[in-house]
Amino acid sequence: MKRIISLSVIFFLFTGLGIPSALAAEKQSTTDIVSNVKSAILIERDTGKILYEKNSQEELPPASMTKIMTMLLIMEAIDHGKLSWNEKIRTSEYAASMGGSQIFLEPGEEMTTKQMLMGIAIGSGNDAAVAMAERIAGSEDAFVDMMNQKAKQLGLKHTFFKNTTGLPVSGHFSSAYDMAIMAKELLKYEDITKFTGMYEGYLRENTDKKFWLVNTNKLVRFYPGVDGLKTGFTAEAKYCLTATAQKNGMRVIAVVFGAPTSKERNAQVTKMLNFAFSQYQTHPMFKRNQPIAKASISKGKEKSVEAVTSEPLSLLTDKKGEKTDTVKKKIILKKNLNAPIHKGDKVGTIKLIKDGKVILESPLVANKDVKEASWWTLYKRSFGMFTKAGK
């Protein structure tokens, strides 16, 4: 294992702000907020704090909420430069054959990544999801392997995928908690809400096959601040929704599984959102990709790389304004990092600490690729060190 060097940078972040000492779930009975659903959870996005939960670990069919993981891997591929927004994605016969919700792609039809993502985020297109999976991984099966690997990487213990779409199949399941964590990860990529927050849009707009998309998440239109993420419905799963909303700088994620009707699903999510915004507030600390420190690299073209935040970071407080003393920042950089380093690789950790207790921990990642140095570069570097040492 790599040794770790700890650089402790202590400073006063806030005075007079309160950090919740207990989860909201401890203050409020699980029957007080949500009813008439199989499971539910409410979390604050930046800290991941659970504000409310009900049967949140129960394994249930997620239906089209599965596409949250599909969209996460698409956004990750774009962020890492493996996929571009304007790249044309060709539809295979297999992708075009998908049933259920679809945007009616024809075999051989091409759409850009942006258009495909619209089809997935707004129209829940199973055909678009499979076409994107085949582009990224070569086949849907290979992409499903990536989905399950990502779930494992995120520490999800109650999720297993069998397809990219959420179409019913035995052994395909998730939980409210796991879905909230997937949504938390997806929301790192702020561009995603430009798609999931659209109420309607058009595909093939300048053709005679113009196709109107209408978001199945009606809260996007009727609840101020809601800008995603994904609905789901099958006869087995009933009505499901993973929703996110932002208000006064605070973003929350609410998930429900197994509501009897879409109206009931929306009503229960609305109650959770109302609870969050009435009881809590966040204080933004760092934006995503904000430089924090420089990590040293061995045998690289460059000797160091900027360590940046991998996601937005905030402090969560309740609205009672509990007093606190000081919050400390601790930066831990990995030592003996060897090139090559890829953009997005973890190079350290940032922790926010109060009274000796870690209240927030998040990865620091490389802000760019650093290639291996040539032998000539390493020779000149070594020669320069010897020259200095001889003076």
Side-chain angles (χ1 to χ4, degrees), residues 256-326:
V256 296
F257 275 73
T261 66
S262 60
K263 184 177 179 180
E264 190 68 26
R265 169 184 71 189
N266 295 345
Q268 300 307 317
V269 167
T270 295
K271 287 194 284 185
M272 284 195 282
L273 296 178
N274 288 342
F275 171 74
F277 292 126
S278 68
Q279 299 298 314
Y280 293 92
Q281 58 189 340
T282 57
H283 307 273
M285 294 296 302
F286 301 99
K287 295 180 180 179
R288 181 172 177 257
N289 290 328
Q290 185 168 333
I292 299 296
K294 286 198 172 185
S296 297
I297 300 174
S298 297
K299 300 179 181 179
K301 268 192 166 184
E302 298 172 55
K303 295 181 180 180
S304 65
V305 68
E306 202 86 63
V308 300
T309 50
S310 62
E311 60 185 333
L313 301 176
S314 300
L315 294 179
L316 177 68
T317 71
D318 61 33
K319 289 194 172 180
K320 291 180 181 178
E322 296 175 36
K323 299 293 181 182
T324 186
D325 295 321
T326 62

Side-chain angles (χ1 to χ4, degrees), residues 85-124:
W85 287 111
N86 294 320
E87 179 180 340
K88 289 188 176 181
I89 311 299
R90 187 174 179 83
T91 305
S92 70
E93 286 194 21
Y94 174 68
S97 74
M98 291 295 108
S101 300
Q102 54 189 301
I103 58 172
F104 300 99
L105 291 168
E106 296 180 358
E109 183 176 4
E110 293 183 340
M111 284 191 182
T112 65
T113 299
K114 183 177 180 180
Q115 291 167 329
M116 289 285 191
L117 193 54
M118 282 180 63
I120 297 168
I122 306 171
S124 197

Side-chain angles (χ1 to χ4, degrees), residues 367-380:
N367 72 332
K368 63 179 182 179
D369 294 342
V370 178
K371 296 180 180 179
E372 287 183 271
S374 66
W375 69 269
W376 179 243
T377 299
L378 294 175
Y379 171 77
K380 286 192 296 181

Side-chain angles (χ1 to χ4, degrees), residues 61-73:
S64 279
M65 292 194 301
T66 296
K67 296 186 181 81
I68 289 176
M69 179 61 90
T70 302
M71 290 189 289
L72 170 56
L73 294 182

Side-chain angles (χ1 to χ4, degrees), residues 213-272:
L213 298 169
V214 180
N215 203 321
T216 52
N217 181 7
K218 303 306 178 189
L219 293 181
V220 165
R221 185 173 183 179
F222 296 112
Y223 191 104
V226 170
D227 52 7
L229 277 168
K230 194 70 198 70
T231 59
F233 171 79
T234 64
E236 180 188 14
K238 304 302 181 187
Y239 291 88
C240 308
L241 174 60
T242 297
T244 184
Q246 189 169 37
K247 183 177 180 181
N248 297 327
M250 175 179 171
R251 180 174 288 283
V252 295
I253 297 164
V255 183
V256 296
F257 275 73
T261 66
S262 60
K263 184 177 179 180
E264 190 68 26
R265 169 184 71 189
N266 295 345
Q268 300 307 317
V269 167
T270 295
K271 287 194 284 185
M272 284 195 282

